[in-house]
Amino acid sequence: MLNAKPAQIRALIETAGSRFISVEFVKKSGELRKMLVNPARLGAVVRSETFDKSESHVRGAATRKAANPHLLNVWDEIAGGPRTINLDTLTQIKVDGVHYTLN
């Protein structure tokens, strides 16, 4: 069982790079959700689809990330779209074949 802070969990997920990982977490509604995600793919999709690369857009994204360190945006491979994971409600992560249970 791993007792980690959101920043440590984020770093663990980001070590996967473009490899698939699976996560399990409790949704805001209380429902348990499992997802297959690719941490690097969301950035690639957003970069190719976003035309607004203005300074204010970049600052806004940084502000949102700093204000919500417990939220992580990922690409859901099954649904084929972006999703947000609350790192505070993660129960399990599987990265590179290693299974982590969080409390």
Side-chain angles (χ1 to χ4, degrees), residues 2-15 21-28 32-33 35 37 39 64-75 83-95 100-103:
L2 182 64
N3 189 4
K5 296 179 181 177
Q8 295 167 317
I9 296 169
R10 181 185 298 272
L12 175 65
I13 291 171
E14 289 174 353
T15 62
I21 65 169
S22 63
V23 295
E24 186 175 291
F25 60 98
V26 179
K27 291 172 51 172
K28 193 174 183 178
L32 190 63
R33 171 116 188 246
M35 282 195 318
V37 300
R64 281 188 300 279
K65 187 174 182 177
N68 300 293
H70 61 288
L71 299 179
L72 178 64
N73 295 322
V74 296
W75 185 265
R83 300 291 182 265
T84 300
I85 297 173
N86 184 339
L87 299 177
D88 291 336
T89 65
L90 271 176
T91 57
Q92 296 180 23
I93 305 171
K94 186 174 180 183
V95 179
Y100 299 92
T101 300
L102 304 158
N103 54 349

Side-chain angles (χ1 to χ4, degrees), residues 51-63:
F51 301 107
D52 182 9
K53 299 195 190 312
S54 65
E55 184 180 334
S56 63
H57 177 78
V58 173
R59 278 196 327 264
T63 300

Side-chain angles (χ1 to χ4, degrees), residues 17-22 33-42 45 74-83:
S18 62
R19 295 180 306 275
F20 294 110
I21 65 169
S22 63
R33 171 116 188 246
K34 294 179 182 180
M35 282 195 318
L36 179 65
V37 300
N38 183 331
R41 180 147 187 236
L42 178 64
V45 170
V74 296
W75 185 265
D76 183 345
E77 289 295 327
I78 304 300
R83 300 291 182 265

